[in-house]
């Protein structure tokens, strides 16, 4: 089931940003004060709040005829089945899948269902919703497991034993984030259009903005999948403002929930993908090293009764560690990753000894999820210690150790190691690794993808030996079996330039871009194309403008307009 | 860098682009777990991105090649490659186009064009392409001069030139140091520093000896089949890193006599350095002839032809000395051996060695033993020239490591 978000059409006015509602405690609804708060309100709030319910993170609420005081979101959700074995798939109401990035906005299609049937659908695995909730908490425990530092542990213990006085908390050890900048600078593509193609053309540009989607996680996912990441960052800003952590709120005491941290994670991840590293670092700063007591579930015994572990998504920790590399401090990244690794290792050790993740006694039956997290961690280490870190010895060693964890990626990893050596200039060692790849490919029967890998490596080797003609032959060989391979097509054109065949190269790349823009309107290809336009003649601006027009129809606001070389 | 000379509107346009090696496109992956808010969105986006590695989308170093985006730096010893394109921007056919590319340095002017004949005609929107290569052999200012001459349809002959200036920088800093061994060998330590802005892989650093010497390279550790460099896995030099290479030079047999009496400056050889950077971009340099100042030997030079490294305590061992007469006159030599606290000579002290003519040498086998463990210095030889009644003292002529072969007093 793919994510099938629904745009609210003209008929449904856009809801103002929702206030975060963590699941309320039962006592609010089952009090002795009469029937002013019926129990159904409890379930309503459980299922109709647009923020993810605690017990079932993936339950999206249905559209319901909204009672005036409640804000609703529409339905349609994704349920990744593979990891949640003990959670039954909820029934959801899908809208037809999204057409194109700035495609036709679709009218709201979700059907209205009464909240109780939705609740039963979610918990349909068992008659008792609370037993199911308890069994799901084991999955939570597994995912949220983290080992706090000594100081943090002390604070959490004092919270648990109710000796904790929030008035006396040391401001140094709580997390007080806030937006550090207001709005991202809109759509660079549109700006270029205004400048080079005129107002009329620019007006035709249709792209999703923070205001044109639902103000919810759903809307956010839409913006992400359509590559309108700047708009997505803006939307996270709005949602975080609703949560009380908006612009200017940094340094003010606040509280955190699973949802609010997910919002921060998405915001910071998108800033990273947009290469806005300084902005990301500024906003990461209040989170310290992601170990502060108020980032743990135990800090909120009223809101998350009985739940333990860290609210910080593991991927946010990885992002935090990677951040410093992009800011020119790769050693710090390595330090952070190593300390993460030691926590993961400690958790793994605990699990292997039959204890729970945090070392306490427990009954465990299922597979060690931490093993997966270590693999993820190491794959991130690899992405980290590549050329940017410039510590090639460590990069290569890490890639080599990763082969153990991800044997199905052996060919890709060994080829990547070979490429690292080519970047250093050590052609001989690169060749050795490429030969290893060839040996592996010979033993396997699977034809085309392996043949491509071997040819690709050979081509790079020829390139490094200044033999552009042979490199070109290798790339064209790949195209015989895989004519749509974008890398081979692009690289073949690049070789032609080095062989003095500018016109041919240009024609090849141009036709690729025209025939298959989905594949070829990519930053890397466009850099090559515009570079060659500039080499060809002084009148390259026209051709670049044509590229701009093509880009304007397809690409979201996160497109890197530098590759058009218009400014 | 680009100085346009002509003010007149020309029918042809000349464009130049330096062709350094392309670079590999890198991605910025972000992980997220299925449970997180983005779910698998990020990983789906990465999978559909044409520049990621299929099946291993988290690998940053992709396979897409990107053309060079700026001129970059150029260093002595590297090859300057450039694309030269002459494009007919007009709507008329142009005839007799001659494109010439010269490289002007402070000392010379070189023609770099691959063809020196003119092209008979060039239609509109067509171009004449050339890729030139030149191994840069000088530091400092270089000017690429491109000249285009052509004839218009109406028969008018036109001409224009473009100048492209660039600086060639020094890539390596090389320092040398000589060590004179007790034998006739000379050790050369070459210290090489990478003063460029990118890492360098040192493919070859070899010493080409002068006529008099043969060289042994001491930078490989040889095990069964394959040798490994002494630098191990650190096969590359980061910017500003330094590395030392060691060579041993021995005078060739036919020059052995002459080597003994060398005075002043001698030429040892030159270093030949080849390095590679991104995607095999090659550089090559040779130093000038390295010179060594011979140490003063005085009238008589005593060297060692053979001496063991390690000897047993209180066991006699053999050494062979070589005595060379470095003076202008014949000598009549007498050898005396004096014992030290730890060195005890065996044999006859005070014997006559015989006459030694100028520049001649003689071999002197001797036996001695040591009475102390550890690193001991061989001292105590005295040579007296009876003609002039002059005595020359030779102490600390060699070191030996003295070990005790016995494990316990009983054995």
């Amino acid at each position: 089931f793919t994510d099938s978000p629904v745009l609210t059409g003209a008929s449904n006015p856009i809801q103002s940003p929702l206030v975060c509602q963590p699941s309320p405690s039962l006592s609010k609804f089952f009090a002795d004060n009469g029937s002013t708060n019926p129990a159904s309100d409890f379930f309503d709030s459980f299922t109709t709040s647009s923020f993810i319910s605690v017990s079932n993170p993936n339950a999206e609420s249905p559209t319901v005829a909204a009672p005036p005081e409640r804000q609703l979101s529409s339905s349609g959700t994704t349920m990744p089945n593979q990891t949640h074995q003990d959670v039954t798939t909820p029934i959801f109401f899908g809208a037809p899948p999204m057409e194109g990035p700035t495609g036709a906005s679709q009218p709201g299609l979700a059907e209205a269902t009464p909240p109780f049937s939705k609740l039963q659908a979610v918990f349909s695995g068992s008659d008792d919703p609370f037993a199911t909730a308890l069994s799901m908490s084991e999955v939570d425990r597994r995912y949220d497991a983290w080992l706090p530092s000594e100081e943090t542990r002390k604070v959490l213990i004092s919270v648990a034993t109710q000796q904790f006085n929030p008035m006396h908390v040391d401001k140094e050890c709580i997390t007080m984030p806030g937006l550090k900048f207001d709005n991202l600078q809109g759509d660079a593509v549109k700006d270029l259009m205004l400048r080079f193609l005129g107002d009329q053309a620019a007006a035709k540009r249709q792209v999703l903005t923070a205001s044109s989607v639902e103000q919810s996680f759903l809307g956010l996912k839409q913006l992400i999948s359509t590559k309108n990441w700047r708009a997505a960052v803006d939307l996270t800003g709005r949602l975080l403002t609703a949560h009380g952590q908006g612009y200017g709120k940094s340094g003010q005491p606040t509280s955190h929930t699973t949802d609010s941290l997910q919002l921060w994670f998405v915001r910071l991840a998108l800033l990273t993908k947009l290469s806005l590293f300084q902005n990301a670092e500024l906003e990461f700063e209040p989170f310290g090293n992601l170990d502060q007591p108020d980032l743990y579930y135990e800090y909120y015994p009223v809101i998350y009764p009985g739940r333990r572990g860290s609210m910080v998504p593991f991927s946010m920790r990885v992002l935090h560690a990677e951040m410093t590399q992009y800011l020119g401090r790769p050693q710090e990244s390595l330090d952070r990753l190593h300390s993460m690794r030691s926590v993961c290792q400690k958790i793994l050790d605990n699990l292997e000894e039959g204890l729970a993740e945090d070392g306490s006694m427990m009954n465990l039956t299922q597979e060690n999820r931490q093993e997966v997290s270590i693999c993820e961690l190491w794959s991130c280490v690899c992405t980290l210690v590549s050329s940017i870190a410039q510590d090639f010895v460590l990069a290569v060693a890490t890639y080599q150790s990763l082969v153990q964890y991800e044997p199905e990626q052996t060919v890709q990893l060994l080829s990547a190691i070979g490429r690292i050596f080519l970047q250093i200039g050590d052609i001989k060692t690169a060749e050795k690794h490429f030969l290893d790849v060839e040996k592996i490919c010979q033993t396997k029967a699977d034809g085309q993808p392996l043949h491509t890998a071997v040819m690709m490596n050979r081509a790079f080797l020829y390139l490094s030996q200044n033999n552009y003609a042979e490199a070109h032959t290798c790339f064209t060989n790949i195209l015989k079996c895989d004519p749509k391979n974008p890398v081979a097509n692009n690289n073949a054109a690049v070789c032609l330039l080095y062989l003095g065949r500018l016109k041919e190269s240009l024609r090849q790349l141009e036709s690729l871009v025209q025939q298959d823009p989905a594949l070829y309107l990519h930053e890397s290809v466009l850099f090559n194309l515009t570079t060659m336009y500039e080499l060809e003649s002084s009148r390259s601006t026209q051709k670049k403008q044509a590229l701009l027009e093509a880009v304007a129809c397809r690409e979201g606001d996160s497109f890197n307009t530098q590759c058009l070389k218009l400014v | 860098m680009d100085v346009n000379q002509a003010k007149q509107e020309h029918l042809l346009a000349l464009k130049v682009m330096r062709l350094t090696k392309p670079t590999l496109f890198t991605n910025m992956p972000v992980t997220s777990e299925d449970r997180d808010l983005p779910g698998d969105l990020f990983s789906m986006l990465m999978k559909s991105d044409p520049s990621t590695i299929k099946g291993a989308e988290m690998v940053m170093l992709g396979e897409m090649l990107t053309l060079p985006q700026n001129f970059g730096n150029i260093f002595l010893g590297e090859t300057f490659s450039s694309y030269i394109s002459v494009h007919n921007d007009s709507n008329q056919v142009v005839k007799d186009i001659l494109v010439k590319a010269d490289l002007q340095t402070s000392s010379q002017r070189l023609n770099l064009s691959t063809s020196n004949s003119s092209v008979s005609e060039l239609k509109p929107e067509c171009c004449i392409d050339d890729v030139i290569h030149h191994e840069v052999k000088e530091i400092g200012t270089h000017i690429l001069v491109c000249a285009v001459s052509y004839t218009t349809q109406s028969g008018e002959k036109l001409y224009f030139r473009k100048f492209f200036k660039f600086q060639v920088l020094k890539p390596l800093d090389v320092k040398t140091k000589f060590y004179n061994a007790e034998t006739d060998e000379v050790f050369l330590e070459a210290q090489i520093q990478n003063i460029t802005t990118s890492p360098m892989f040192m493919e070859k650093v070899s010493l080409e000896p002068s006529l008099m010497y043969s060289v042994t390279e001491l930078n490989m550790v040889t095990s069964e089949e394959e040798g490994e460099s002494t630098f191990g896995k650190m096969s590359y030099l980061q910017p500003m890193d330094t590395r030392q290479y060691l060579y041993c030079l021995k005078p060739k047999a036919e020059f052995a006599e002459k080597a003994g009496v060398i005075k002043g400056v001698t030429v040892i050889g030159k270093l030949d350095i080849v390095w590679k950077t991104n995607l095999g971009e090659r550089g090559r340099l040779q130093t000038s002839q390295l010179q060594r100042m011979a140490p003063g030997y005085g009238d008589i030079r005593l060297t060692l032809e053979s001496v063991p490294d390690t000897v047993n305590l209180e066991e006699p061992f053999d050494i062979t000395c070589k005595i060379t007469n470095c003076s202008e006159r014949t000598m009549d030599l007498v050898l005396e051996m004096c014992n030290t606290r730890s060195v005890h000579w065996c044999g006859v002290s005070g014997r006559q060695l015989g006459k030694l003519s100028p520049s001649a040498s003689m071999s002197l086998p001797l036996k001695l033993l040591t009475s102390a463990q550890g690193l001991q210095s061989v001292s105590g030889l005295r040579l007296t020239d009876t003609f002039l009644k002059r005595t020359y003292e030779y102490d600390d002529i060699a070191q030996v490591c003295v070990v005790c072969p016995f494990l316990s007093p009983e054995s």
Side-chain angles (χ1 to χ4, degrees):
Chain A
F1 298 96
T2 49
D3 200 347
S4 41
V6 170
L7 281 177
T8 48
S11 50
N12 293 359
I14 304 298
Q15 315 291 347
S16 53
L18 302 157
V19 177
C20 169
Q21 298 174 28
S23 294
S25 74
L26 287 172
S27 57
K28 182 181 170 203
F29 294 97
F30 297 110
D32 281 345
N33 56 4
S35 54
T36 46
N37 290 325
S40 62
D41 280 352
F42 173 81
F43 295 107
D44 264 352
S45 136
F46 219 57
T47 58
T48 60
S49 126
S50 71
F51 290 93
I52 296 173
S53 115
V54 167
S55 307
N56 183 7
N58 287 293
E60 291 288 326
S61 24
T63 38
V64 187
E69 64 273 22
R70 297 239 190 269
Q71 321 266 5
L72 300 174
S73 66
S74 53
S75 69
T77 181
T78 237
M79 189 59 173
N81 285 325
Q82 50 274 33
T83 45
H84 296 241
Q85 275 112 357
D86 47 356
V87 175
T88 37
T89 317
I91 298 163
F92 63 93
F93 339 90
M98 275 282 290
E99 231 92 65
T102 50
S105 76
Q106 295 164 15
L109 286 177
E111 306 133 88
T113 356
F116 276 111
S117 68
K118 170 67 178 177
L119 184 61
Q120 269 155 19
V122 166
F123 293 129
S124 59
S126 123
D127 284 341
D128 180 359
F130 294 104
T132 318
L134 284 176
S135 72
M136 279 197 277
S137 78
E138 182 173 312
V139 179
D140 286 347
R141 197 202 72 240
R142 188 149 292 147
Y143 275 82
D144 303 331
W146 198 252
L147 300 177
S149 65
E150 253 326 289
E151 301 82 51
T152 304
R153 228 167 57 84
K154 287 200 193 113
V155 174
L156 293 177
I157 288 174
S158 77
V159 170
T161 56
Q162 290 166 342
Q163 288 164 2
F164 180 71
N165 185 347
M167 306 301 274
H168 293 158
V169 71
D170 180 8
K171 276 216 164 169
E172 285 295 307
C173 74
I174 57 169
T175 318
M176 298 179 289
L179 302 187
K180 292 287 170 79
F181 54 92
D182 224 335
N183 267 319
L184 282 187
Q185 310 79 344
D187 179 13
V189 174
K190 187 159 189 176
D191 292 341
L192 277 182
M193 290 176 84
L194 279 168
R195 200 164 144 179
F196 288 94
L197 302 174
D199 290 347
Q200 258 196 342
K204 291 203 213 124
R205 165 109 166 130
Q206 279 195 351
V207 77
L208 290 178
T209 65
S211 304
S212 53
V213 296
E214 195 182 285
Q215 307 291 287
S216 68
F217 281 12
L218 211 54
L220 199 51
K221 286 200 219 183
Q222 245 184 295
L223 292 172
I224 295 174
S225 66
T226 56
K227 292 175 96 176
N228 289 301
W229 298 337
R230 290 168 181 264
V233 170
D234 284 343
L235 184 54
T236 60
R238 293 185 193 183
L239 298 174
L240 284 167
T241 305
H243 189 76
Q245 291 172 359
Y247 186 69
K249 295 288 191 200
S250 166
Q252 292 182 18
T254 178
S255 71
H256 305 282
T257 66
T258 319
D259 292 346
S260 70
L261 284 175
Q262 285 289 341
L263 279 172
W264 275 113
F265 166 56
V266 169
R267 182 177 173 88
L268 295 163
L270 291 171
L271 287 173
T272 305
K273 284 195 88 80
L274 288 166
S275 301
L276 295 167
F277 308 119
Q278 259 103 12
N279 296 43
E281 188 183 34
L282 271 175
E283 296 194 340
F284 241 132
E285 196 262 318
F287 288 92
N289 56 359
L290 302 172
D291 185 50
Q292 278 144 197
D294 60 343
L295 298 174
Y296 284 83
Y297 285 112
E298 293 97 310
Y299 197 81
Y300 307 98
V302 172
I303 303 175
Y304 298 110
R307 194 154 171 197
R308 298 167 62 89
S310 170
M311 285 194 257
V312 177
F314 185 79
S315 307
M316 189 168 171
R317 292 187 191 274
V318 175
L319 189 64
H320 181 242
E322 290 182 335
M323 187 61 52
T324 43
Q325 134 184 254
Y326 300 125
L327 292 159
R329 311 195 304 263
Q331 193 54 50
E332 236 176 284
S333 285
L334 286 173
D335 292 343
R336 289 179 182 181
L337 282 172
H338 277 289
S339 69
M340 276 174 74
R341 183 182 194 244
S342 62
V343 172
C344 288
Q345 191 62 55
K346 188 84 195 34
I347 294 177
L348 242 190
D349 291 344
N350 285 342
L351 289 172
E352 260 159 36
E353 285 174 32
L355 304 168
E357 288 84 355
D358 58 3
S360 55
M361 299 298 289
M362 207 67 190
N363 274 329
L364 287 179
T365 45
Q366 280 163 314
E367 67 168 49
N368 288 337
R369 177 256 177 198
Q370 293 306 323
E371 201 133 28
V372 175
S373 71
I374 291 191
C375 294
E376 281 177 47
L377 183 57
W378 276 113
S379 71
C380 300
V381 174
C382 284
T383 68
L384 177 72
V385 290
S386 75
S387 322
I388 295 185
Q390 296 246 320
D391 186 346
F392 301 109
V393 177
L394 184 54
V396 169
T398 315
Y399 272 119
Q400 281 165 340
S401 69
L402 199 65
V403 172
Q404 297 169 40
Y405 287 110
E406 314 262 11
E408 71 281 3
Q409 293 184 1
T410 306
V411 165
Q412 293 95 330
L413 291 172
L414 285 179
S415 303
I417 296 175
R419 288 199 296 283
I420 293 181
F421 280 111
L422 286 184
Q423 279 194 318
I424 303 173
D426 187 352
I427 316 298
K428 251 175 69 185
T429 311
E431 202 172 359
K432 247 189 263 165
H433 283 92
F434 291 152
L435 279 174
D436 288 343
V437 172
E438 282 201 39
K439 274 189 222 136
I440 295 174
C441 292
Q442 274 163 12
T443 60
K444 292 195 184 167
D446 180 21
Q448 188 226 297
L450 298 181
H451 167 260
T452 302
V454 169
M455 274 293 135
M456 200 73 83
N457 293 341
R458 253 187 232 167
F460 287 126
L461 211 48
Y462 280 126
L463 262 179
S464 306
Q465 292 159 348
N466 288 326
N467 194 338
Y468 294 98
E470 282 297 332
H472 183 256
T473 310
C474 289
F475 288 127
T476 40
N477 275 339
I478 297 174
L479 292 170
K480 288 190 189 136
C481 312
D482 185 10
K484 285 198 156 242
N485 187 319
V487 176
N489 269 311
N490 172 73
N491 292 359
V494 165
C495 288
L496 284 179
L497 184 70
Y498 285 83
L499 291 168
R501 290 145 72 175
L502 170 62
K503 284 284 192 197
E504 240 182 285
S505 176
L506 261 178
R507 255 181 267 133
Q508 203 176 317
L509 271 188
E510 260 186 331
S511 73
L512 289 168
V513 171
Q514 277 159 16
Q515 287 164 23
D516 202 347
L519 216 44
Y520 292 98
L521 271 183
H522 185 274
E523 203 182 330
S524 58
V525 176
L526 293 179
F527 260 119
N528 291 339
L529 196 49
T530 51
T531 305
M532 288 200 276
Y533 280 151
E534 290 184 344
L535 180 58
E536 183 197 28
S537 94
S538 314
R539 300 205 217 98
S540 53
T541 312
Q542 242 180 334
K543 299 201 179 180
K544 294 183 204 166
Q545 282 171 359
L547 284 179
L548 176 60
E549 282 171 354
V551 161
C553 308
R554 308 196 56 92
E555 296 293 319
D557 66 24
S558 62
F559 182 76
N560 177 12
T561 50
Q562 277 188 344
C563 66
L564 295 173
K565 297 200 185 188
L566 279 168
V567 283
Chain B
M1 190 190 83
D2 175 357
V3 178
N4 199 341
Q5 203 199 22
K7 296 269 191 292
Q8 167 186 16
E9 197 59 48
H10 279 276
L11 301 176
L12 302 179
L14 172 87
K15 287 294 175 99
V16 168
M17 175 177 154
R18 181 179 173 204
L19 288 178
T20 46
K21 292 273 166 108
T23 50
L24 291 167
F25 190 76
T26 52
N27 281 295
M28 207 93 68
V30 166
T31 41
S32 106
E33 295 180 293
D34 292 331
R35 241 169 91 109
D36 291 327
L37 165 50
D40 62 352
L41 269 183
F42 285 137
S43 99
M44 296 308 287
L45 285 171
M46 293 295 290
K47 286 204 173 87
S48 62
D49 185 320
S51 70
T52 53
I53 307 287
K54 299 302 161 250
E57 284 81 11
M58 288 299 292
V59 173
M60 272 175 99
L61 188 60
E63 293 172 323
M64 285 275 222
L65 291 171
T66 313
L67 290 172
Q69 295 302 308
N70 52 43
F71 187 86
N73 286 322
I74 182 157
F75 296 98
L76 181 66
E78 291 186 332
T79 301
F80 171 70
S81 302
S82 181
Y83 200 105
I84 301 182
S85 175
V86 174
H87 187 255
N88 187 347
D89 272 353
S90 72
N91 48 15
Q92 52 166 292
V93 177
V94 168
K95 295 184 191 307
D96 295 326
I97 307 99
L98 183 63
V99 183
K100 255 175 48 88
D102 286 341
L103 190 63
Q104 173 84 50
T105 68
S106 49
S107 65
Q108 55 179 331
R109 190 181 184 110
L110 298 155
N111 177 19
L112 299 180
S113 309
T114 52
S115 94
N116 282 310
S117 52
S118 62
V119 176
S120 56
E121 72 168 26
L122 189 63
K123 297 201 175 69
E125 294 305 311
C126 292
C127 56
I128 300 173
D129 298 310
D130 195 10
V131 179
I132 55 159
H133 304 281
H134 170 71
E135 190 177 317
V136 174
K137 294 194 173 77
E138 289 173 68
I139 297 183
T141 309
H142 286 59
I143 306 179
L144 177 67
V145 185
C146 297
V148 179
S149 65
Y150 61 102
T151 311
T152 65
Q153 239 169 10
S154 52
E156 194 185 346
K157 283 203 193 338
L158 293 170
Y159 171 84
F160 69 92
R161 276 194 307 181
K162 272 194 171 181
F163 301 88
F164 303 96
K165 194 156 89 157
F166 58 92
Q167 291 295 326
V168 173
L169 308 165
K170 198 172 144 192
L172 296 173
D173 199 22
V174 180
K175 296 194 174 78
T176 56
K177 205 163 158 190
F178 286 99
Y179 299 90
N180 300 300
E182 303 115 4
T183 57
D184 270 334
E185 292 166 330
V186 177
F187 288 90
L188 168 67
E189 178 189 336
Q191 199 168 338
I192 300 184
Q193 183 182 32
N194 171 5
I195 52 178
T196 69
T197 48
S198 56
M200 253 187 196
F201 173 72
M202 307 307 285
E203 196 174 72
K204 177 174 90 142
V205 180
S206 64
L207 181 62
E208 275 173 28
S210 62
L211 279 174
M212 255 174 47
Y213 291 92
S214 64
V215 68
T216 316
E217 194 223 352
L218 296 171
N219 302 305
M220 297 285 279
V221 177
T222 37
S223 54
E224 310 80 43
E225 341 89 18
E226 232 186 275
E228 199 199 348
S229 147
T230 49
F231 304 102
K233 292 220 166 88
M234 286 293 294
S235 55
Y236 59 98
L237 267 180
Q238 293 281 26
M240 294 309 136
D241 273 1
T242 310
R243 209 186 244 196
Q244 285 94 343
Y245 289 85
L246 192 60
Y247 305 91
C248 176
L249 293 137
K250 224 188 175 90
K252 290 194 197 144
E254 55 265 34
F255 293 100
E257 290 294 319
K258 190 165 166 229
V261 293
I262 292 169
K263 293 192 205 313
V265 169
T266 44
V267 161
I268 293 293
K270 55 185 176 169
L271 279 172
D272 189 0
I273 306 170
V274 178
W275 72 90
K276 293 239 169 95
T277 54
N278 177 47
L279 281 189
E281 196 100 64
R282 183 180 182 267
R284 181 175 183 188
L285 273 186
Q286 282 188 334
T287 63
S288 49
Q289 289 285 352
L290 300 168
Q291 292 173 331
R292 162 188 168 248
M293 189 67 148
Y297 292 130
D299 293 336
I300 306 178
R301 183 172 166 218
L302 187 137
T303 57
L304 285 168
E305 277 181 350
S306 76
V307 55
D309 290 328
T310 314
V311 297
N312 287 331
L313 184 66
E314 295 174 358
E315 267 179 33
F317 60 94
D318 298 306
I319 65 173
T320 310
C321 294
K322 180 173 154 191
I323 304 178
T324 312
N325 182 353
C326 298
S327 74
E328 310 290 306
R329 54 182 204 283
T330 310
M331 294 179 169
D332 191 7
L333 294 171
V334 171
L335 174 70
E336 271 176 75
M337 292 118 75
C338 310
N339 288 338
T340 70
R341 213 166 50 78
S342 55
V343 172
H344 305 272
W345 295 96
C346 314
V348 178
S349 174
R351 61 184 156 110
Q352 291 233 307
L353 295 177
K355 291 196 178 49
L356 194 62
S357 23
S359 303
S361 62
M362 63 163 73
S363 256
L364 197 59
L366 294 169
K367 218 184 195 58
L368 67 156
L369 61 86
T370 50
S371 56
Q373 279 181 72
L375 197 65
Q376 298 300 326
S377 197
V378 176
S379 304
L381 292 180
R382 307 279 176 264
L383 285 172
T384 308
D385 177 18
T386 56
F387 286 152
L388 287 177
K389 301 230 182 341
R390 206 176 276 175
T391 302
Y392 301 92
E393 294 181 355
Y394 296 95
D395 295 314
D396 297 315
I397 57 175
Q399 274 79 40
V400 285
C401 180
V402 185
V403 295
C404 181
F406 309 111
L407 293 170
S408 62
E410 292 83 41
S411 51

